[in-house]
Amino acid sequence: MVFETHTLSNGIRLIHHSVNANVAHCGIILNTGSRDEKEEEWGIAHYIEHVVFKGTTKRKAYHILSRMEDVGGELNAYTTKEETCIFSTFLDKDYKRAVELISDITFNSIFPEKELEKEKEVILDEINSYKDSPSELIFDDFEELIFKDDPIGRNILGTPKHVKKFKRDDILNFIKNNYHTDQIVISSVGNINFSKLVKIVEKYFGNIPENIRTTKREKPNSYEARTQTMIKKTYQRHCIMGNIAYDLDDERRVPLSLLTNILGGPGMNSRLNLTLRERHGLAYNIEANYTPYADTGVFSIYFGTDEGNLDKCLSLINKEMELLCTKKLGPGQLTRAKNQMIGQIAISSENNENLMLSIGKSFLLYNKVDSLEELYQKVESITAEQLLEVANEILNKDLLTTLMYK
């Protein structure tokens, strides 16, 4: 897999992968998210993601929304704790249209006060909707518990109290303080000559004033295992347990990703799915997740079950974790686990939108992108001894935080 790159004079970087397809994908990824907010700004990164579509110096909201959809394309955005992304899917003939629009809404939005007030109601409704989804809400409450009193622990949406107070100047200040050109990547996957793409990107992003990041994020506070029960009056009992984990620069993140996949990945043959769902019929949803951040990470196991099954589920999960901590995988087990993960990586790379976002994030963080062959090699090089070591560090029952909804 070949990647072509270019750096603008203001520090904005471009990465492109050429594919022989009529449909193209392009987006801007900024290395800023909810963890970069001050306490009084809680929720503003996500709020900005909404209101950048409400008007620019040359377009009203309707014209922004119609610009790509008029030619059958799509425009979207998302915010995480460490990144903000605006991206589009379109026919390859519309590259210029897409790149120009992404630049316009990222850097020329005017944030009309009337539109800002209307969008607050939309976000308040989104917050309330989230509260009605305990299987999603519990992940945010869990990270707030393990990253207690730290910005990275706060949920992305913010609170109604904070959202209601946001003003136009708050938005402009956050953008000025956090949208650094050396922390921005334009990512593209599509059928276009790279030199032509460079000219388009230079035209619409080259005149953005240089704004270099001079500060570093503060590392989260020291971790302390906790157990907490929250009364939510839900039909099911929801439970999540986990630990802090390896950051984005830690080489152990690859073995931990494989261990997570073995324990509770998306495959129906994960250990937790086979134990809780297939053998005992105790849970419909059971999963393990690992999310690495710039200077920390989160490992978690989530499940939902009837109240009478809660203790049995916890007992079975603890047994599976103990097995991974005490019994080394045999050669056949290890080979099957690696093949499964390699297959998942390969299938994911066939989705060009996912590929565009993936290579953009990798280039943003590491200034390089591993080829599929290099990724496969990293998985193939994992040893049973490494998995055992990682399991004993991350699945140590004395270090696990547990949160339950009852």
Side-chain angles (χ1 to χ4, degrees), residues 218-247:
E218 292 186 16
K219 189 175 176 64
N221 300 320
S222 57
Y223 170 72
E224 182 180 324
R226 297 177 173 89
T227 297
Q228 182 172 318
T229 298
M230 302 176 73
I231 306 302
K232 290 290 184 179
K233 296 181 180 180
T234 56
Y235 178 77
Q236 272 196 318
R237 298 299 176 253
H238 299 266
C239 180
I240 188 167
M241 60 177 70
N243 192 1
I244 58 169
Y246 310 125
D247 62 41

Side-chain angles (χ1 to χ4, degrees), residues 142-254:
F142 178 71
E143 291 206 14
E144 188 172 338
L145 187 60
I146 64 172
F147 295 122
K148 199 169 180 63
D149 301 322
D150 195 275
I152 198 171
R154 298 195 294 247
N155 74 73
I156 295 165
L157 300 181
T159 70
K161 176 184 175 182
H162 286 85
V163 172
K164 288 176 181 178
K165 289 183 178 180
F166 292 149
K167 301 295 183 185
R168 185 172 181 271
D169 284 346
D170 299 324
I171 293 171
L172 296 175
N173 285 333
F174 184 82
I175 290 173
K176 179 182 177 182
N177 294 332
N178 294 281
Y179 282 25
H180 301 103
T181 51
D182 64 324
Q183 301 296 321
I184 293 175
V185 161
I186 312 297
S187 183
S188 162
V189 172
N191 187 10
I192 186 173
N193 180 274
F194 186 61
S195 61
K196 181 179 179 181
L197 178 60
V198 168
K199 289 179 181 178
I200 294 172
V201 171
E202 284 280 5
K203 179 177 181 180
Y204 295 113
F205 288 92
N207 61 348
I208 304 301
E210 181 182 76
N211 181 17
I212 305 300
R213 178 179 285 179
T214 57
T215 58
K216 285 187 176 183
R217 290 168 171 147
E218 292 186 16
K219 189 175 176 64
N221 300 320
S222 57
Y223 170 72
E224 182 180 324
R226 297 177 173 89
T227 297
Q228 182 172 318
T229 298
M230 302 176 73
I231 306 302
K232 290 290 184 179
K233 296 181 180 180
T234 56
Y235 178 77
Q236 272 196 318
R237 298 299 176 253
H238 299 266
C239 180
I240 188 167
M241 60 177 70
N243 192 1
I244 58 169
Y246 310 125
D247 62 41
L248 284 161
D249 289 320
D250 197 314
E251 292 184 357
R252 292 171 295 178
R253 72 185 187 280
V254 181

Side-chain angles (χ1 to χ4, degrees), residues 380-398:
E380 289 285 8
S381 66
I382 297 171
T383 66
E385 288 77 15
Q386 285 178 310
L387 290 178
L388 196 65
E389 179 182 346
V390 166
N392 278 278
E393 288 182 349
I394 304 300
L395 305 183
N396 184 334
K397 64 180 181 180
D398 294 329

